[in-house]
C-alpha cells in the first residue's frame, strides 16, 4: 500500500481537526496545502476558509467584548482597570493582526498566482477583502485607512471578475453580501 500524497494527508488531517473543533491546527494543515502552489479544489478552498474564519471569529468576538467592557469601565472612571483592559486588548489585536497577515500572505504568494478559474479568483479576492476589513475593524488612524482602502480594492477586483459568473452563483452572492457589509 502506498502512502497518501502530502496534500491528501494534510486535507484529511484538516477535516479531522475541523471535526474536533481544533481550528488552530486546521489552519496549519490547510496552510501546508495552500503552500503547495497549485489551484485548490472547491473542497480545499472551503476548508481553508472555514479554518481561518473560525480561528479569527473567536478573537473578533473577544475584541468586541473587551472593547465593550473597556467602555463600561471608562464610564465609571475606573482608570486602573481601563489600563489593564487596554493591555489585554492590545494582545488580542496583535493576534488578530497576525492571523490576517498570515492568510493575506498566503493569498498573495500562493493562491492567487496559481488561480486559473474566475471562481477561484473571486473567492480569493473576496477573502482578501474580508481580512482587510477585519484589520480595519480594530485598527486606528492610518492603519485603518490603509486596511479599508485595501478591502475596497480587493472587493472591487472580486466584483469585476464576478461579472463573469452567473448572477446566482453562491460565491458572487457571498461577495455581494460581504461587500455590502463593508459599505
Amino acid at each position: 500500500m502506498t502512502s497518501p500524497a502530502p496534500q491528501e494527508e494534510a486535507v484529511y488531517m484538516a477535516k479531522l481537526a475541523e471535526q474536533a473543533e481544533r481550528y488552530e491546527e486546521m489552519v496549519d494543515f490547510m496552510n501546508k496545502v495552500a503552500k503547495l502552489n497549485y489551484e485548490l479544489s472547491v473542497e480545499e478552498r472551503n476548508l481553508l476558509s472555514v479554518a481561518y474564519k473560525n480561528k479569527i471569529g473567536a478573537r473578533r468576538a473577544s475584541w468586541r467584548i473587551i472593547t465593550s467592557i473597556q467602555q463600561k469601565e471608562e464610564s465609571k472612571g475606573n482608570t486602573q482597570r481601563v489600563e489593564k483592559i487596554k493591555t489585554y486588548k492590545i494582545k488580542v489585536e496583535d493576534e488578530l493582526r497576525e492571523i490576517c497577515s498570515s492568510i493575506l500572505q498566503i493569498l498573495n504568494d500562493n493562491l492567487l498566482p496559481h488561480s486559473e478559474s474566475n471562481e477561484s479568483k473571486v473567492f480569493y479576492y473576496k477573502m482578501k477583502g474580508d481580512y482587510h476589513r477585519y484589520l480595519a475593524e480594530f485598527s486606528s488612524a492610518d492603519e485603518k485607512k490603509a486596511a479599508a482602502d485595501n478591502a475596497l480594492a480587493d472587493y472591487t477586483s472580486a466584483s469585476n471578475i464576478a461579472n463573469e459568473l452567473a448572477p446566482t452563483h453562491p460565491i458572487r452572492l457571498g461577495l455581494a453580501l460581504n461587500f455590502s457589509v463593508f459599505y
Side-chain angles (χ1 to χ4, degrees), residues 154-174:
D154 294 329
Y155 284 138
T156 301
S157 293
S159 293
N160 291 338
I161 300 166
N163 288 331
E164 302 299 318
L165 302 177
T168 56
H169 194 289
I171 294 173
R172 186 172 177 179
L173 293 172

Side-chain angles (χ1 to χ4, degrees), residues 15-30:
K15 290 177 187 178
L16 181 61
E18 179 183 22
Q19 291 298 308
E21 296 183 12
R22 296 180 57 89
Y23 300 109
E24 305 278 333
E25 292 163 0
M26 187 181 180
V27 164
D28 293 340
F29 291 123
M30 289 313 300

Side-chain angles (χ1 to χ4, degrees), residues 6-52:
Q7 168 266 345
E8 291 172 3
E9 187 71 22
V11 168
Y12 177 80
M13 292 305 295
K15 290 177 187 178
L16 181 61
E18 179 183 22
Q19 291 298 308
E21 296 183 12
R22 296 180 57 89
Y23 300 109
E24 305 278 333
E25 292 163 0
M26 187 181 180
V27 164
D28 293 340
F29 291 123
M30 289 313 300
N31 281 349
K32 288 178 185 174
V33 174
K35 289 178 181 177
L36 293 173
N37 294 328
Y38 68 95
E39 184 159 17
L40 301 186
S41 68
V42 172
E43 178 186 43
E44 291 164 344
R45 277 196 326 248
N46 289 333
L47 286 167
L48 179 74
S49 179
V50 165
Y52 271 96

Side-chain angles (χ1 to χ4, degrees), residues 16-178:
L16 181 61
E18 179 183 22
Q19 291 298 308
E21 296 183 12
R22 296 180 57 89
Y23 300 109
E24 305 278 333
E25 292 163 0
M26 187 181 180
V27 164
D28 293 340
F29 291 123
M30 289 313 300
N31 281 349
K32 288 178 185 174
V33 174
K35 289 178 181 177
L36 293 173
N37 294 328
Y38 68 95
E39 184 159 17
L40 301 186
S41 68
V42 172
E43 178 186 43
E44 291 164 344
R45 277 196 326 248
N46 289 333
L47 286 167
L48 179 74
S49 179
V50 165
Y52 271 96
K53 188 168 186 74
N54 280 286
K55 184 173 181 178
I56 201 159
R59 285 166 182 86
R60 288 174 69 213
S62 296
W63 185 86
R64 287 191 295 268
I65 291 165
I66 292 166
T67 299
S68 175
I69 294 168
Q70 178 184 348
Q71 290 168 348
K72 288 177 188 169
E73 292 297 336
E74 285 171 343
S75 71
K76 294 179 190 175
N78 195 337
T79 55
Q80 282 183 314
R81 285 199 175 155
V82 168
E83 288 310 309
K84 290 182 190 298
I85 292 168
K86 284 181 179 178
T87 300
Y88 193 51
K89 189 164 94 169
I90 288 169
K91 178 183 184 219
V92 174
E93 289 173 351
D94 288 344
E95 291 174 6
L96 284 164
R97 203 171 278 108
E98 187 279 321
I99 295 165
C100 290
S101 295
S102 172
I103 187 59
L104 289 168
Q105 182 174 0
I106 287 169
L107 288 163
N108 286 326
D109 296 350
N110 306 101
L111 298 174
L112 278 165
H114 295 92
S115 294
E116 295 178 19
S117 72
N118 285 336
E119 186 177 300
S120 290
K121 291 174 187 174
V122 172
F123 189 92
Y124 296 139
Y125 277 114
K126 176 191 160 294
M127 273 186 84
K128 281 184 66 178
D130 292 343
Y131 285 87
H132 279 119
R133 178 169 49 92
Y134 301 154
L135 283 169
E137 287 175 349
F138 66 86
S139 300
S140 55
D142 291 342
E143 189 180 350
K144 183 181 200 84
K145 180 174 177 8
D149 289 347
N150 286 330
L152 178 60
D154 294 329
Y155 284 138
T156 301
S157 293
S159 293
N160 291 338
I161 300 166
N163 288 331
E164 302 299 318
L165 302 177
T168 56
H169 194 289
I171 294 173
R172 186 172 177 179
L173 293 172
L175 168 64
L177 176 65
N178 288 22

